[in-house]
Amino acid sequence: MKLVITFIDGEQLELTSSSIINGYINSHKPDKNYELKRVFSNSFDAIHTNESSQIATITPQLGYASLINETDWISIGKDTHFATFYKTSSIKSISRKLM
């Protein structure tokens, strides 16, 4: 399975079922540092963890769309220290591509 996330500027991300997607929400409290809180980190097939994946739905686009709807930012991959963060409001579409 391959999913394509298309952004409003035309950039595309291609994800496979084993691609790790991380979801973050803004977590600012008065008199505290600005930070993002990671609320999800797994792949569609969950081969990187011992738990089932919350985005593993019958129609993969729906699982990813639900995650993106609930988060403010996403990144791809295990290494979040050097990751590119994408604002979820800049996503135009999610489509499934046959491999």
Side-chain angles (χ1 to χ4, degrees):
M1 176 200 67
K2 190 177 277 192
L3 278 178
V4 178
I5 297 175
T6 304
F7 295 88
I8 55 177
D9 67 356
E11 181 179 355
Q12 291 187 329
L13 286 177
E14 288 194 2
L15 305 175
T16 65
S17 58
S18 62
S19 298
I20 296 174
I21 186 168
N22 305 290
Y24 303 86
I25 58 171
N26 290 314
S27 177
H28 175 70
K29 297 178 181 131
D31 300 325
K32 301 279 184 182
N33 292 336
Y34 287 96
E35 61 182 47
L36 293 176
K37 178 182 178 187
R38 186 167 57 184
V39 294
F40 182 84
S41 183
N42 208 339
S43 60
F44 185 82
D45 61 13
I47 64 170
H48 306 284
T49 67
N50 291 331
E51 57 192 54
S52 63
S53 179
Q54 294 172 318
I55 58 174
T57 56
I58 294 172
T59 305
Q61 302 93 303
L62 296 178
Y64 284 89
S66 180
L67 170 67
I68 288 166
N69 186 55
E70 295 295 324
T71 57
D72 300 309
W73 294 86
I74 60 169
S75 69
I76 308 301
K78 279 185 178 181
D79 186 2
T80 57
H81 294 291
F82 297 101
T84 299
F85 287 76
Y86 300 93
K87 184 76 172 140
T88 56
S89 60
S90 67
I91 294 173
K92 178 182 174 184
S93 65
I94 303 168
S95 55
R96 193 170 180 181
K97 189 176 183 181
L98 295 176
M99 292 177 74

